[in-house]
Amino acid sequence: MNSIYSYTRDDFINYFLDIGEKKFKADILYDWLYKKRVTDIDSMNNLNKNVISKLKEDMFIDNIKIIKKDVGSDVVKYLFELSDNEKIEAVVMYHDYGTSLCISTEVGCNMSCAFCESGRLKKRRNLLVNEMVLQILEIEKDINKRISHVVLMGIGEPFDNYENVIKFVNIINDSKGIDIGARHITISTCGIVPKIYEFASLKTQVNLAVSLHAPNNELRNKLMPINKVYSLNELMKAIKEYINITNRRVTFEYIMLDGINDTEECAYELSNLLKGMNCYVNLIPYNETNNIGFKRSKSVKIDKFYDILKKNNISVTIRREFGGLVSAACGQLRSHE
Ligand code: SAH
């Protein structure tokens, strides 16, 4: 038995054809689940009795429990408990352009980036498709508002849970369901190169963000162990291929760590690395945590770094800060107490 929230509409079409029903029932079911948000198969009163009993036999409607909420001025952090008692976090952010949700993709994370709190708990398991979909459904119910943007930037490495993540994106993007536009969805990766090629070949309009954080192998090896598996050269090659195939602009995330990757030299090196690419750089002031020694760069350094990139014609922004007071900012989400 599977969760009803783990089916794409195509999956439902195949399901209904398999049980000898018309395929348009998939649309009806999607409407109940994602437009009307009904959580009880028995109330789907335009499906006949046979279909209802078959559905109840073959799948279940589940939920994930909100066990804690930290409310900041324009952000709310949610702690969820999953059916096996594992915990994950998700964060809602209110922007002037809409409401975005940062969701988790795994329980814990194996990428071991030196600066990141989320990775202090090693990966315990992938999130299931329904557990990602339910982060949206439960939060929309709680805030009584529609989420307009989804970023896969919570706990976990999305491309280390590739199949479930792609299925999840397919479900939330479906215009007959939750209907979040592809251009309003962003997947962030630390650089799992084969999956970048795979993702490129899908040719979707979904945004790709890459956590770069260093302009050379020596430094990136120290900060992000994944770089020892897929070096910067391989990573850049894959990203260029992605841009060629999709014609989409890539976002590079670059956290600013005091005295580590925020020197003028790094800024010049980064400019060279990205010259001529269809990309933009998001400079993220590092969020300090109690458990990790890195410090945030001074704001004059961040400004200087920004200026150098600008002068070299690299599009760049400094990320507005969200969630600091409630520990809901990038790299502060956890799967553990
Ligand atoms: N694993 C994916 C998704 C996580 S996204 C990835 O690496 O892209 C979370 C982003 O926050 C990543 O860019 C991560 O490098 C960054 N980050 C981690 N710790 C941070 C911190 N303390 N302050 C600011 N950003 C941080």
Side-chain angles (χ1 to χ4, degrees), residues 167-279:
K167 210 165 183 197
F168 159 72
V169 167
N170 184 329
I171 291 172
I172 67 170
N173 179 230
D174 195 311
S175 59
K176 297 200 162 148
I178 301 178
D179 194 16
I180 295 174
R183 287 165 182 255
H184 286 193
I185 302 170
T186 302
I187 300 181
S188 181
T189 179
C190 65
I192 303 196
V193 165
K195 297 299 172 197
I196 294 177
Y197 286 108
E198 224 174 305
F199 183 64
S201 72
L202 299 179
K203 297 189 180 167
T204 76
Q205 299 292 302
V206 171
N207 302 303
L208 179 66
V210 177
S211 296
L212 194 62
H213 307 328
N216 60 58
N217 280 316
E218 196 192 343
L219 188 53
R220 201 164 189 268
N221 281 342
K222 285 191 198 140
L223 297 174
M224 304 177 70
I226 190 70
N227 199 68
K228 295 179 193 156
V229 185
Y230 306 110
S231 70
L232 208 47
N233 330 346
E234 290 170 84
L235 177 60
M236 297 313 288
K237 201 171 140 208
I239 295 168
K240 282 177 185 159
E241 173 85 358
Y242 167 85
I243 295 171
N244 274 340
I245 292 182
T246 62
N247 213 10
R248 302 279 297 150
R249 186 166 80 156
V250 166
T251 303
F252 287 106
E253 296 154 282
Y254 194 101
I255 48 176
M256 301 296 293
L257 299 164
D258 185 37
I260 309 274
N261 63 355
D262 62 350
T263 60
E264 294 186 21
E265 207 184 346
C266 282
Y268 285 111
E269 211 174 346
L270 185 62
S271 306
N272 274 333
L273 187 70
L274 305 182
K275 204 183 301 169
M277 264 175 103
N278 184 16
C279 69

Side-chain angles (χ1 to χ4, degrees), residues 74 93-100 145 148-149 320 322:
D74 42 15
M93 289 161 281
Y94 296 101
H95 304 268
D96 40 16
Y97 58 79
T99 304
S100 72
K145 222 176 139 125
S148 60
H149 294 68
R320 193 189 140 198
F322 266 102

